[in-house]
Amino acid sequence: MKEKDLIIWMVNGNTLKFEKVTNLENTDSELTFEYFGVSTQVQRKAVFNQINIAGFALEA
């Protein structure tokens, strides 16, 4: 998967932006992906429970 930007809208109203996202997997229970932390300059893996996500947008 090409590196893409990802926006996640949380059910509590917060919005999160992740850059250089790869290896995105969207299951019934979790949204998992790897991304590059801009402020830390480190590659990371993130896991979100679907129950906390209102929606998300992945760069085309």
Side-chain angles (χ1 to χ4, degrees):
M1 174 180 165
K2 176 184 163 268
E3 293 178 345
K4 300 179 178 186
D5 287 353
L6 173 68
I7 307 294
I8 300 176
W9 295 279
M10 307 299 288
V11 294
N12 67 5
N14 289 342
T15 301
L16 308 172
K17 180 182 179 187
F18 297 91
E19 297 183 5
K20 298 183 180 178
V21 171
T22 59
N23 301 321
L24 185 130
E25 293 183 34
N26 185 24
T27 68
D28 288 340
S29 61
E30 293 180 333
L31 178 66
T32 63
F33 56 90
E34 295 177 13
Y35 71 97
F36 183 72
V38 175
S39 61
T40 60
Q41 299 292 297
V42 175
Q43 189 72 19
R44 298 186 182 277
K45 182 173 182 176
V47 179
F48 287 87
N49 290 324
Q50 289 286 10
I51 197 165
N52 298 318
I53 298 173
F56 68 91
L58 184 63
E59 179 182 0

